[in-house]
Amino acid sequence: MIRVAVIEDDRRSLAHIKDLLRHFEEENACRFEIAEFRDGDEIVENYRADYDFLLMDIELPLLSGMSAAEEIRKRDADVGIIFVTNSTQYAIRGYRVGALDYLVKPVDYASFAETMKRALLHRRTRKDQFLMLNTRGGRQKVRIRSIRYVEVRDHDLT
């Protein structure tokens, strides 16, 4: 199961992205679990590092997709971010937050499928290199190679 969050305020655009995901599922024998958010602040507020990919619009009402991506990167350096937007002027800034790709609306299926194939390849090469840990601040991804030692004291893991 591939966990995807779609952050999009326009209902038609949201439906179109979901249709693209369903089409991709059928053609590529994979399965997406899709969460929907209407604004950047919604996903940032209670962000948990459970998603494989974020498909994010940039122009959102309260917190822009770019600002949301910057906040999410502070908590999750490895989630795949794909911007899906009308705003071509933000492309360079999108790569500064480590975006995997930048799709311009209206997105055709061929472009979407190419991006998702690259994204899934990226995910496969990185998937087994992390542990998901429950912390006081929520769930967090930890790179296995960054672990130097583990200590348990009174049922607390350090």
Side-chain angles (χ1 to χ4, degrees):
M1 181 73 65
I2 302 161
R3 297 209 53 209
V4 177
V6 180
I7 304 92
E8 173 62 64
D9 61 322
D10 180 73
R11 291 188 190 280
R12 280 198 280 172
S13 293
L14 175 64
H16 180 65
I17 292 168
K18 288 171 66 177
D19 288 344
L20 292 170
L21 286 165
R22 297 298 177 221
H23 188 178
F24 189 85
E25 279 180 324
E26 292 170 13
E27 285 193 351
N28 295 278
C30 62
R31 180 119 168 92
F32 294 111
E33 180 180 322
I34 303 168
E36 301 173 17
F37 298 90
R38 298 282 186 218
D39 202 302
D41 69 327
E42 282 184 38
I43 190 161
V44 167
E45 186 175 321
N46 295 307
Y47 185 78
R48 294 178 3 178
D50 288 340
Y51 298 106
D52 296 299
F53 302 107
L54 306 178
L55 297 171
M56 187 175 316
D57 190 6
I58 290 179
E59 295 180 342
L60 297 166
L62 298 176
L63 183 65
S64 76
M66 195 60 65
S67 296
E70 289 168 353
E71 288 300 313
I72 287 167
R73 276 290 176 242
K74 293 175 185 175
R75 299 182 227 173
D76 187 354
D78 298 298
V79 66
I81 298 174
I82 300 167
F83 288 109
V84 184
T85 185
N86 293 317
S87 306
T88 57
Q89 72 266 24
Y90 295 108
I92 300 301
R93 190 172 168 207
Y95 292 108
R96 287 187 194 140
V97 295
L100 293 176
D101 210 341
Y102 196 96
L103 297 170
V104 179
K105 295 176 187 177
V107 179
D108 63 88
Y109 180 71
S111 297
F112 181 81
E114 182 181 319
T115 293
M116 288 308 296
K117 285 177 184 175
R118 278 196 320 271
L120 289 173
L121 178 62
H122 178 265
R123 176 182 176 257
R124 270 192 292 271
T125 60
R126 301 180 68 82
K127 183 177 169 87
D128 296 326
Q129 299 174 3
F130 297 92
L131 291 174
M132 294 298 294
L133 300 175
N134 292 322
T135 67
R136 289 185 181 123
R139 291 179 56 96
Q140 184 174 4
K141 286 183 188 176
V142 176
R143 288 180 189 229
I144 291 173
R145 69 176 179 219
S146 72
I147 298 172
R148 301 288 182 238
Y149 70 94
V150 176
E151 180 180 329
V152 178
R153 186 178 301 159
D154 295 326
H155 301 285
D156 287 330
L157 180 77
T158 305

